[in-house]
Amino acid sequence: MPIIPTTEITPPAPPPGAPRSRGSTDEGVFDDARTYYTADERHLNTRAGARTRTYSQNSLFKQMERMGLKEPYRRGSHDESTIPHSRRFLIQVEPTLQSLQSQEDTDGNMQITIEDNGPKVLTLRTAASNGHNRFDIRGTYMLSNLLQELSLAKEYGRKQIILDEARLNENPVNRLSRMIRDHFWEGLTRRIDASSIEIAARDPKDWTDDPRPRIYVPRGAPEQYEYYTKVAEERPELRLDVQLLPEKITPELVRDMNSKPGLLAVDMEEEVDPKTGKKTLKGRPFVVPGGRFNELYGWDSYMESLGLLVHDKVDLAKSMVQNFCFCIKHYGKILNATRSYYLCRSQPPFLTDMALRVYDKIKHEPGALDFLRTSILAAIKEYHSVWVAEPRLDPVTGLSRYRPEGLGVPPETEAGHFVHILEPYVKKHGCTFEEFVEGYNSGRIKEPELDDYFMHDRAVRESGHDTTYRFEGCCADLATIDLNSLLFKYETDIARTIRNVFHDKLVIPAEYCVGSMEPNHVEASAIWDRRAKRRKLAIDKYLWNEQEGMYFDYDTANRKQCSYESATTFWALWAGVASPKQAAAMVTKALPKFEAVGGLLSGTEESRGEIGLERPNRQWDYPYGWAPQQILAWTGLYRYSFTEEAERLAYKWLFMITKAFVDFNGVVVEKYDVTRPIDPHRVDAEYGNQGLDFKGVAKEGFGWVNASYVYGLQIVNAHMRRALGTLTPYETFIKAVEENKAKALAELV
Ligand SMILES: OC[C@H]1O[C@H](O[C@H]2O[C@H](CO)[C@@H](O)[C@H](O)[C@H]2O)[C@H](O)[C@@H](O)[C@@H]1O
Ligand SMILES: [Ca+2]
């Protein structure tokens, strides 16, 4: 086995005023990478002999013993029972990285995983012996953590480091939570202003020949137009194209903008430049989903905010709510995402819950009530103008559908996504593929059947579930349990907020009025209570299926209930629209159909049907599981006191993520195959999987999965959290718990 070369270290004198050694020896072991690797003093070997008290493998084994688990799932590189403290290693970054990669990354993908066939052991030199003694780092997890730490050290320009062993054998639950808190959120945060327009405007989905940065500013924000025009003038190298949006946004306009796709402006706040004393604008930050999704998304943002709130990043969650209010004010809706080609469509609505959760954290602060008032007014406007208006409202049932306007072929999908659909038309018109798309998009070629296909396709994308056989060719006609649960939640949240926070009187100013509403009229909670009551009746009538013990979508065109079994049935629990009896029926009858080794399936295998070459897998069908489905189901089950079920599902999801994180070099991806115990992150359906493609160390994870991880850790109990840290499969864990219970009971008698 190779020994990593080390050079003799003669530490240079510390700069004047620099501390010679830190107060406590275990200080900062788990600091974020920037703090850890930029602290010069930490990486000089002046502290040979200093030891760190850490969360060692040893204590993990002790925990397992306490839990009655005899056979640990995975042992670290050394049994430290004889080692009271963790080590530090003296490492030359570049040569060690090279040896590590050439020896252990045998498939050359810049990650060390269980699929690499190296010896899985590397010798490092200890700092305490000034490099004389050696110690073996063993196993995929420690070696991949070493790769990650060295990659970070290199990024921060370090040639030599003193690395705490505790960063290599850290409890994986702690490590992943820490990565999310200290690195991933930051990696996903964007702010649109001069400081970062270059990064924020970048769009990996831009299909045009000249993907230059472009920003569209709404008419109602002239100060932003002036601001960006100045940025473009002062920094010509950016090639920033600043465009003012026309007053009226129509499907024709959006279609015609497709040749010049661009970012849409979001909220900015005024700030005084401390140097010049002059007023300037600063973008309100937001979190993007990750991968190729580099803009503010609708429902991803809600899910992300749950994780941000766990990590006390309240300002960021608040800022995302404010950005949503800006979108409703200037674009008429919370957009699918803030790019020009998304202007006609929305995504599943979560604004009231998001605003209330933020308000709950800031209610003692000045301005909190105004924040809540603005958010609720924006939600009321969105409710009336988007969700219970034409074309989304079905006047017969009174229920709503995903049914956005739009024209032509959605441009943001992967090239080739619609080839199989368009090919027959291309043949029929005897032209090239490009000629047909151009002719059809411009309206010169008329194909009503295709119009219908794309109306449903747009609806699928608005639903957030793109794509699934549940929705193919029918989505725009479906009153889904998803959307109607969310609207019931809007109605009950608005009613409660008006009653409890605004003393049952909320003035609706002109800018929030829709249709024939009187400016400045006062709304009380009663009308919202009535709306909720009416929706519940309609949901019970059209969507509930007593025999199956779950909710289904309702086809408003064919006037019949659908039969596709979807995990969105549990959204009814999240929203509180199910009666206790309906909830109990769902737990007994529906839940078992959706539960897989890694958590909840998004749909059942039976509903998806046979797949093959002619009928390929869809990413929102069996066997895939998605973070938002898990989050909403756990919260809903909790709401109805099905604590055990919520904990069990959360455990399975967290276990799957933790195991993939440990075995695959810290990976966190957009979605998982929840039936795949070994490599659940391998999903190649449709768009592939976002979040896989990193070199050395993951920087972002994926927004809603990051959130589901830290939110889920709040759902499971402390005992479960410890068991997750030792990668104990659920079956092993529950067996031990039951055996212990039986033992305790026997001792009682
Ligand atoms: O480009 C294809 C589609 O990509 C988006 O959908 C997927 O990612 C979104 C961001 O994480 C997520 O909100 C959505 O649920 C996913 O299916 C986009 O939203 C679609 O409009 C787009 O067609
Ligand atoms: Ca590899």
Side-chain angles (χ1 to χ4, degrees), residues 101 104-111 116 695:
Q101 276 168 341
E104 298 292 348
D105 178 17
T106 56
D107 60 10
N109 67 348
M110 308 287 279
Q111 299 171 8
D116 287 309
K695 308 271 175 252

Side-chain angles (χ1 to χ4, degrees), residues 1 44 175 200 247 320 364 366 412 462 476 523 582 602 625 697 713:
M1 93 199 44
L44 303 174
R175 183 169 172 92
E247 194 73 58
M320 286 159 84
H364 52 281
E412 79 284 1
E462 183 166 83
E523 284 200 2
Q582 285 167 324
S602 45
V697 58
L713 283 174

Side-chain angles (χ1 to χ4, degrees), residues 227 230 269-274 276 278-282:
Y227 173 87
K230 200 160 154 240
E269 53 185 328
E270 238 180 44
E271 163 186 86
V272 177
D273 187 325
T276 61
K278 282 193 189 148
K279 279 190 187 161
T280 181
L281 293 178
K282 191 174 164 203

Side-chain angles (χ1 to χ4, degrees), residues 33 67 127 167 179 221 257 270 292 375 379 453 457 469 500 522 557 568 576 627 646 655 669 678 700 723 737:
M67 291 188 299
R167 284 177 89 92
M179 295 298 272
M257 285 162 74
E270 238 180 44
R292 63 202 196 110
S375 310
Y453 173 85
D457 182 85
Y469 287 115
N500 301 339
V522 177
T568 54
F655 174 78
V669 283
I678 306 296
E700 305 178 339
V737 169

